[in-house]
Amino acid sequence: MSVQESTFHGFANPVDPSPAELRAWAYQPDSVPLASMPPDWDLLVSGDRLVLTLFELAMDPSCPARRFALHCLYIYAADGIRTNFRAHPKRRFRKLVEQAERDGDELMKIWAHNGRVLLARPDLFVYRDWCEGGLVRENRRLG
């Protein structure tokens, strides 16, 4: 049985979900509405522990929570770049960007492009765009 076919019954600990729980929720996001999650849940799950799961979800055009996963990738990128990669390994970020450029669709290619632009020009960071979903909603490339 695939994750998409199984029933998701909630998180054991929503503040620290497992990759399997996050993946199961992402294919049935109405089972636990985002509004019922802890405050700033997007910031809580946007770390190294779940980034590969978030990336996998964002790469899947059929994932119902794809935009949420993409939003978390923007947070992850900004957090790494703005802390000069004290928060997250630069190598992991670069590998994700390269994979998105190589295998991703337009949404993922835009994320990769924007990540490279912010890496080159950290002064272009705007909290609303990177951490509040602006770049996901507007689907735009930074110049």
Side-chain angles (χ1 to χ4, degrees):
M1 181 184 311
S2 75
V3 171
Q4 291 88 335
E5 295 167 354
S6 63
T7 302
F8 180 63
H9 297 289
F11 297 98
N13 179 0
V15 174
D16 188 24
S18 71
E21 287 175 329
L22 185 62
R23 190 176 297 106
W25 169 81
Y27 287 97
Q28 297 180 354
D30 294 337
S31 62
V32 181
L34 272 176
S36 71
M37 299 309 286
D40 297 324
W41 191 61
D42 53 349
L43 301 175
L44 292 172
V45 300
S46 297
D48 285 320
R49 186 168 166 276
L50 295 171
V51 72
L52 297 179
T53 303
L54 291 164
F55 186 81
E56 169 192 319
L57 297 170
M59 289 285 282
D60 181 359
S62 70
C63 178
R66 181 184 193 200
R67 288 173 56 88
F68 175 79
L70 182 60
H71 164 63
C72 291
L73 289 179
Y74 272 101
I75 293 170
Y76 181 86
D79 195 31
I81 293 165
R82 293 189 68 235
T83 64
N84 201 24
F85 294 98
R86 287 185 302 278
H88 310 298
K90 188 175 194 174
R91 184 170 184 226
R92 177 176 286 164
F93 170 71
R94 284 191 184 275
K95 282 186 171 193
L96 293 174
V97 165
E98 289 166 3
Q99 185 176 348
E101 290 169 338
R102 184 179 61 246
D103 304 326
D105 63 4
E106 188 61 16
L107 282 179
M108 292 304 293
K109 286 180 179 2
I110 291 171
W111 171 78
H113 167 83
N114 289 344
R116 285 194 185 274
V117 169
L118 189 64
L119 186 58
R121 300 244 348 254
D123 59 300
L124 293 179
F125 174 79
V126 175
Y127 188 86
R128 180 192 153 293
D129 287 342
W130 289 86
C131 300
E132 292 180 345
L135 289 170
V136 175
R137 281 189 303 278
E138 297 164 10
N139 193 29
R140 67 182 165 86
R141 287 179 183 263
L142 296 175

